[in-house]
Amino acid sequence: MPHTTDVTVLRYAAFTSHPGGGNPAGVVLDAASLDDRQMSALAAEVGYSETAFVTSGDAPRRRFTLRYFSPLAEVAFCGHATVATAVALAERTGPGDLTFDTPAGEIHVETAADADGAVRAALTSVPTRSAPASAAQVDATLAALGWERGDLDPALPPHVAFAGNEHLVLGVGTRARLAALDYDFDTLAEVMRDHGWTTVHAVWRESDSHFHARDPFPVGGVVEDPATGAAAAAFGGYLRTLGSAPTAGPVTIRQGEDMGRPSDLTVESLPGGTRVRVSGHAVPLTR
């Protein structure tokens, strides 16, 4: 059985074109010999919000099995680590379509190189769904955040949205309220564990097609994600449910700005179903 120090961990920042932005992810392209304990230990050692492990694959068919571990637990799906893994594979085997078998289901990813050689990845989510959050769920979350009902945007009602994981979507009334996010880590983690949420996706609407987001992730042992592709996909499904998704053109989400790691996520609702496409660049990081 290999020691985790013998495993090559690639490091990428996803949803950015610059190493100083985006959400860092670990990527292990050959994890076939690692067991659950070793993957969990390695993710904790790396310390990023997620590390993705390719546990098996069929390279000629460009189909791979992918698992995701935060420093505390395995999660069913992680968008930014999926984008990072897709870009890492595309840089080594050439751009094109990839298929990932994940605990959340099959994820199709398109990769393409820009004129300058930078690789962009677009993942298609599993079917999304969204439903109103209960008053008790909202009240418990607001208490942990130190917010009041008046801090919320009535045009963006609280929902629990799903795109592989469940996320509480909270529309925030002002950019200043979002920027001042400072929450009780243990209390919010308990609320989220009680309801099975992966992040709280707090969003401020700059326009109908441009949003700012922050995503507390205490259940993963991380205060906040600078970019959350899974939550962005869930948010796309949420907008579709509300009837607020643009009929033409994508939605853009700016995340991580208040953390000093600006990230840009592009979200498009796909016609003829409930799937959502989330796209962005990823770039290698030096250790």
Side-chain angles (χ1 to χ4, degrees):
M1 183 176 294
H3 194 276
T4 54
T5 56
D6 300 326
V7 176
T8 299
V9 181
L10 307 174
R11 290 165 169 80
Y12 278 76
F15 295 112
T16 181
S17 299
H18 307 284
N23 195 358
V27 177
V28 178
L29 293 180
D30 184 6
S33 61
L34 299 180
D35 61 23
D36 290 12
R37 181 188 60 80
Q38 289 173 311
M39 287 187 280
S40 181
L42 193 54
E45 180 184 326
V46 171
Y48 294 156
S49 59
E50 304 288 349
T51 295
F53 296 86
V54 179
T55 58
S56 65
D58 183 338
R61 295 177 60 219
R62 298 175 68 90
R63 188 177 192 117
F64 303 88
T65 300
L66 203 55
R67 295 176 66 183
Y68 313 92
F69 285 80
S70 79
L72 289 184
E74 183 175 10
V75 299
F77 177 64
C78 173
H80 84 277
T82 298
V83 166
T85 303
V87 170
L89 287 168
E91 288 180 342
R92 286 155 180 80
T93 64
D97 292 355
L98 297 161
T99 301
F100 293 139
D101 293 304
T102 79
E106 181 181 293
I107 302 294
H108 179 72
V109 186
E110 303 165 26
T111 65
D114 294 345
D116 60 1
V119 179
R120 185 176 182 87
L123 69 87
T124 298
S125 74
V126 299
T128 63
R129 62 176 183 267
S130 186
S134 71
Q137 289 173 329
V138 175
D139 289 342
T141 304
L142 292 178
L145 295 173
W147 291 359
E148 305 289 341
R149 286 269 180 173
D151 291 317
L152 302 182
D153 181 351
L156 296 172
H159 269 222
V160 177
F162 174 87
N165 307 309
E166 290 196 328
H167 306 262
L168 177 67
V169 177
L170 287 181
V172 184
T174 66
R175 182 68 181 88
R177 176 72 277 178
L178 187 68
L181 176 69
D182 181 18
Y183 68 93
D184 186 314
F185 186 93
D186 291 335
T187 300
L188 185 58
E190 183 178 358
V191 172
M192 292 171 67
R193 279 193 295 267
D194 286 347
H195 299 296
W197 302 333
T198 299
T199 73
V200 173
H201 191 58
V203 294
W204 174 70
R205 180 183 52 181
E206 182 175 326
S207 71
D208 288 343
S209 60
H210 189 63
F211 295 81
H212 294 252
R214 299 187 72 173
D215 277 70
F217 184 34
V219 293
V222 177
V223 173
E224 184 179 354
D225 255 354
T228 316
F235 183 65
Y238 163 86
L239 291 177
R240 185 201 299 270
T241 297
L242 292 186
S244 300
T247 55
V251 165
T252 59
I253 298 174
R254 181 76 160 176
Q255 192 177 338
E257 201 163 45
D258 298 307
M259 302 174 62
R261 294 199 66 92
S263 308
D264 294 295
L265 302 89
T266 302
V267 179
E268 299 173 271
S269 293
L270 300 180
T274 59
R275 297 179 190 268
V276 171
R277 181 183 289 124
V278 179
S279 60
H281 290 89
V283 294
L285 296 171
T286 55
R287 187 162 184 175

